[in-house]
Amino acid sequence: MKAFATTFLAATFLTGLAASAAEISPAVVYDLGGKFDKSFNESAYDGAERYKKDAGAEYRDFEIQNDSQREQALRRFAQRGASPIVGVGFSQAEAIKKVATEFPETKFVIIDAVVDLPNVRSVLFSAEQGSYLVGVLAAMKSGTGTVGFVGGMDIPLIRTFACGYAGGVKSVKPDAKIVENMTGTTGAAWNDPVRGGELAKAQIDQGADVIFHAAGGTGIGVLQAAADAGKFGIGVDSNQNALHPGHVLTSMVKRVDNAVYKAFDDAAKDKFTAGAETLGLAEDGVGYAADANNEALITPEMKAAVEKAKADIVAGTVKVHDYNSDSACPY
């Protein structure tokens, strides 16, 4: 505990805290994998950094090294007056529930889970919708008719990505084969790029020529293996197109950065509200990434198809199944 406290203080207070005009003192507690995981955590970091640049408001953050540090970090931030405090990832839910109850005047935000307390904002994303879009692109790009999916920790949230992806693939090629693997059942599944590469190679051996990952840091190995084999990977959460230009077909972006930015901004403007909100395509909460790194990979026909799918989902004429609704995938 003493060692953790020393590390915590060094990580959070050496740079000081400059409050914004509205006197907010925001903080972020990242999930396992660290803030530079090129994925989920890093998207949260990008949102905090963007707010810092725009508003001139400093924030504090902490990268946990094990599960026991979640509650410790949240409580220490609350004790020192931080607010709002963002907990990145569903694994923070129990710790936030406990600490938010202890500090009812402090504002908290939980990403990818629901904590039903009057001082907690719960932000969810329609991951199935964004995954459907990249599934459309994967099916159109595949020359073998076989595509892959590598998930991180085997939980309903990641099954939601997998199911939405399958729906998009099948909407284009009903007979397509989808090879699916999960990395593990513990938090370590988010940070094992070697294992991610092994799973991707095994899928390539089965004919997969496009592989989508929803595996945090583990996915870095998936993208590397796909590039090394001359195949295509699909990134997740953050825009990962630049990791292997020409071999990352696209990325299913989940705008955690927007959620963090909005939480900070709302608190500063005294507009912070608690409760659960779900951000989908209509709210620009999810989407697919298109930039100079992948523009040569997306044909006009692919672009037209994915944009039509997006419009149909927003309009409600295409319903993407949410695995969380019944713990099943009909595709």
Side-chain angles (χ1 to χ4, degrees), residues 38-39 129-142 148 165 169 209-214 219 222-223 226 231-254 281 286-299 302-303 306-307 310:
K38 303 296 183 186
S39 188
Q129 295 182 355
S131 298
Y132 186 100
L133 297 187
V134 301
V136 169
L137 293 174
M140 296 185 74
K141 193 65 174 179
S142 176
Y165 178 62
V169 170
D209 55 356
V210 184
I211 303 174
F212 174 35
H213 88 84
V222 175
L223 299 180
K231 310 302 182 182
F232 299 101
I234 296 177
V236 78
D237 292 337
S238 295
N239 182 354
Q240 298 181 323
N241 294 356
L243 293 182
H244 300 282
H247 288 286
V248 179
L249 179 63
T250 186
S251 297
M252 200 297 278
V253 290
K254 191 164 73 170
L281 287 173
V286 295
Y288 72 98
D291 57 24
N293 294 297
N294 72 333
E295 61 182 357
L297 304 177
I298 308 294
T299 66
M302 292 168 67
K303 174 76 170 179
V306 74
E307 285 297 320
K310 178 179 178 180

Side-chain angles (χ1 to χ4, degrees), residues 191-215:
N191 196 27
D192 193 349
V194 173
R195 181 59 176 157
E198 292 171 348
L199 291 173
K201 290 174 186 176
Q203 293 187 357
I204 291 168
D205 288 343
Q206 296 176 68
D209 55 356
V210 184
I211 303 174
F212 174 35
H213 88 84

Side-chain angles (χ1 to χ4, degrees), residues 9-320:
L9 288 171
T12 58
F13 293 109
L14 285 178
T15 58
L17 175 68
S20 72
E23 298 301 323
I24 66 166
S25 302
V28 180
V29 177
Y30 303 104
D31 208 349
L32 292 170
K35 64 182 174 183
F36 297 121
D37 63 354
K38 303 296 183 186
S39 188
F40 184 73
N41 285 308
E42 192 157 342
S43 183
Y45 167 77
D46 288 343
E49 283 290 298
R50 178 155 51 93
Y51 184 79
K52 175 182 174 180
K53 179 180 179 181
D54 290 351
E58 294 290 339
Y59 68 96
R60 292 175 282 182
D61 59 5
F62 185 73
E63 300 175 76
I64 65 168
Q65 302 302 312
N66 57 65
D67 290 333
S68 67
Q69 292 181 346
R70 302 180 199 281
E71 187 178 320
Q72 296 170 9
L74 290 164
R75 183 174 290 106
R76 280 177 169 79
F77 276 137
Q79 288 171 338
R80 289 161 175 79
S83 183
I85 303 171
V86 179
V88 183
F90 72 95
S91 296
Q92 311 269 20
E94 286 304 312
I96 284 184
K97 183 177 181 180
K98 186 172 183 179
V99 178
T101 300
E102 296 173 11
F103 296 88
E105 300 304 314
T106 301
K107 300 176 178 67
F108 291 85
V109 180
I110 176 72
I111 303 294
D112 273 346
V114 175
V115 174
D116 188 14
L117 289 172
N119 57 330
V120 180
R121 174 181 292 182
S122 303
V123 184
L124 307 174
F125 296 85
S126 298
E128 73 280 2
Q129 295 182 355
S131 298
Y132 186 100
L133 297 187
V134 301
V136 169
L137 293 174
M140 296 185 74
K141 193 65 174 179
S142 176
T144 65
T146 298
V147 300
F149 175 85
V150 175
M153 189 175 176
D154 191 357
I155 54 174
L157 173 64
I158 301 305
R159 293 284 175 183
T160 299
F161 282 86
C163 186
Y165 178 62
V169 170
K170 296 289 188 178
S171 74
V172 174
K173 293 181 179 177
D175 297 328
K177 179 181 178 181
I178 303 169
V179 185
E180 179 182 307
N181 295 104
M182 297 294 177
T183 305
T185 58
T186 69
W190 303 119
N191 196 27
D192 193 349
V194 173
R195 181 59 176 157
E198 292 171 348
L199 291 173
K201 290 174 186 176
Q203 293 187 357
I204 291 168
D205 288 343
Q206 296 176 68
D209 55 356
V210 184
I211 303 174
F212 174 35
H213 88 84
T218 297
I220 302 303
V222 175
L223 299 180
Q224 181 71 60
D228 289 347
K231 310 302 182 182
F232 299 101
I234 296 177
V236 78
D237 292 337
S238 295
N239 182 354
Q240 298 181 323
N241 294 356
L243 293 182
H244 300 282
H247 288 286
V248 179
L249 179 63
T250 186
S251 297
M252 200 297 278
V253 290
K254 191 164 73 170
R255 301 306 301 271
V256 179
D257 57 333
N258 287 349
V260 171
Y261 187 103
K262 188 173 187 295
F264 288 8
D265 193 50
D266 285 351
K269 295 176 179 177
D270 199 26
K271 294 181 179 180
F272 187 91
T273 55
E277 58 183 37
T278 300
L279 308 179
L281 287 173
E283 298 80 20
D284 195 29
V286 295
Y288 72 98
D291 57 24
N293 294 297
N294 72 333
E295 61 182 357
L297 304 177
I298 308 294
T299 66
E301 293 78 14
M302 292 168 67
K303 174 76 170 179
V306 74
E307 285 297 320
K308 183 178 187 305
K310 178 179 178 180
D312 287 344
I313 293 169
V314 171
T317 54
V318 169
K319 302 286 187 181
V320 184

